[in-house]
Structures are given as structure tokens and as C-alpha cells.
Amino acid sequence: MLKLVANSDIQLDNAVRTFVSKVGKESNLTLVDNELTYKDFLSNKMLIVHSIRQGIPYYLYELIKEKTPFKQEDWADFLGVSERTLVRNKAKVDYVFESIPSEKILELAEVTSLGRDVFDSEEQFYLWLNTPNFALGNLVPFELLKDSYGKEMVMNELLKIDYGIFI
């Protein structure tokens, strides 16, 4: 399992570097970094902005999707499309998501990345995502991820947990 995880991390890092290189060329920016990782990518807000404007390619979405706890039906709901549309998009050569779905993909990637860092295991993070949370008005964090404001609330709560603030 560890070998598979490491391999998928390398694959995702390589895909991010390829994508960022393309974004840099098309935006006339110097963004190429041969050491850029997926985590570096998610922490660089300016790079995120340019990536959203460029659009996330389907191949990168699929690699990000593998790192998240969300099922195909969840992704369809988050992106505001049907599952069938996602399947059709996959069949299109070089499909690129428009800016609004691209932003949502990267928002969910950020939440998942932080959640994996905060909790000891993926299972604990996924359990937390699906358990009503007092600090979030007894709402389930998963349900809050459907919009940007809810995502920010979830991110803030994850940061509080990371810092040991349980209020």
C-alpha cells in the first residue's frame, strides 16, 4: 500500500509540474520549478489563480480525485454537473474544466490536503468530515464543502484543530 501511495504521489507531483509549466507558458509567467510538488502547488495562491483561469485538465482532476474521500456522485454534485457529464468529459481528448469547476476542484484539493495533515489517518479525517460538528453549528463538514464560504469554515476549523484549539 505504501508503495502505491508513494507512486501516486510521484505521479501527481509530475502531473502538477507538467500542468504548471503549461500555465506558465500560456500566461507569460516564470512558474517552472522542477522540484514543485502537489503541496507546493496548493500553497501558492498566485499559481492557483492562474491555474483556475487556465482551467484544470481532466487528467489532473482524476489524480486529485484519487486523493480525496469523495465519490463520483459527490464530485458531480460539487461541480454542478451530472455523473454522466463527468464520464462524457473523460472521453473527450484533452478536456479542460472551465474556471468555476476548476476552482471547486482546487478548493476540495486544499481541504483534503489539510485534513490529511491534521489527522493521524485518512479514516479519522473522513470520519470527521461526516460527523456533525459543534463548532460548525452542528453541521456536517462534508455538507459545508458545497460552497466557498462553507469551505473556508471547514478550513478554519481544521486549522484550529491543527493548532490545538478546540473551542
Side-chain angles (χ1 to χ4, degrees), residues 5 8-9 12 38 63-69 112 116 126:
V5 170
S8 74
D9 288 345
L12 184 54
Y38 176 61
L63 291 169
I64 290 170
K65 183 174 80 168
E66 289 176 18
K67 292 285 193 186
T68 70
T112 301
R116 290 171 142 215
Y126 303 151

Side-chain angles (χ1 to χ4, degrees), residues 35-53:
E35 300 301 317
L36 183 75
T37 65
Y38 176 61
K39 279 193 170 288
D40 296 336
F41 171 68
L42 291 177
S43 66
N44 186 328
K45 298 302 182 189
M46 188 56 71
L47 188 50
I48 293 287
V49 167
H50 287 287
S51 299
I52 289 168
R53 291 178 181 171

Side-chain angles (χ1 to χ4, degrees), residues 48-109:
I48 293 287
V49 167
H50 287 287
S51 299
I52 289 168
R53 291 178 181 171
Q54 186 71 38
I56 299 297
Y58 200 91
Y59 74 87
L60 186 54
Y61 155 73
E62 283 208 306
L63 291 169
I64 290 170
K65 183 174 80 168
E66 289 176 18
K67 292 285 193 186
T68 70
F70 312 120
K71 297 177 274 188
Q72 181 86 350
E73 65 191 53
D74 299 328
W75 277 103
D77 191 32
F78 289 139
L79 299 176
V81 298
S82 69
E83 288 182 65
R84 204 169 146 179
T85 298
L86 281 176
V87 172
R88 276 196 308 268
N89 292 343
K90 181 179 183 174
K92 296 176 184 174
V93 177
D94 297 328
Y95 180 79
V96 176
F97 287 91
E98 292 182 10
S99 63
I100 292 174
S102 292
E103 184 171 5
K104 182 51 81 176
I105 291 166
L106 294 177
E107 285 179 347
L108 294 169

Side-chain angles (χ1 to χ4, degrees), residues 116-133:
R116 290 171 142 215
D117 289 345
V118 169
F119 290 93
D120 291 333
S121 71
E122 288 182 29
E123 292 78 21
Q124 287 179 341
F125 170 54
Y126 303 151
L127 178 63
W128 181 83
L129 269 179
N130 291 293
T131 303
N133 187 302

Side-chain angles (χ1 to χ4, degrees), residues 16-17 19-36 41 44 46-51:
V16 164
R17 280 191 286 275
F19 172 65
V20 167
S21 175
K22 182 181 176 192
V23 168
K25 287 177 189 170
E26 294 186 14
S27 302
N28 293 324
L29 300 169
T30 309
L31 301 172
V32 181
D33 179 356
N34 292 333
E35 300 301 317
L36 183 75
F41 171 68
N44 186 328
M46 188 56 71
L47 188 50
I48 293 287
V49 167
H50 287 287
S51 299

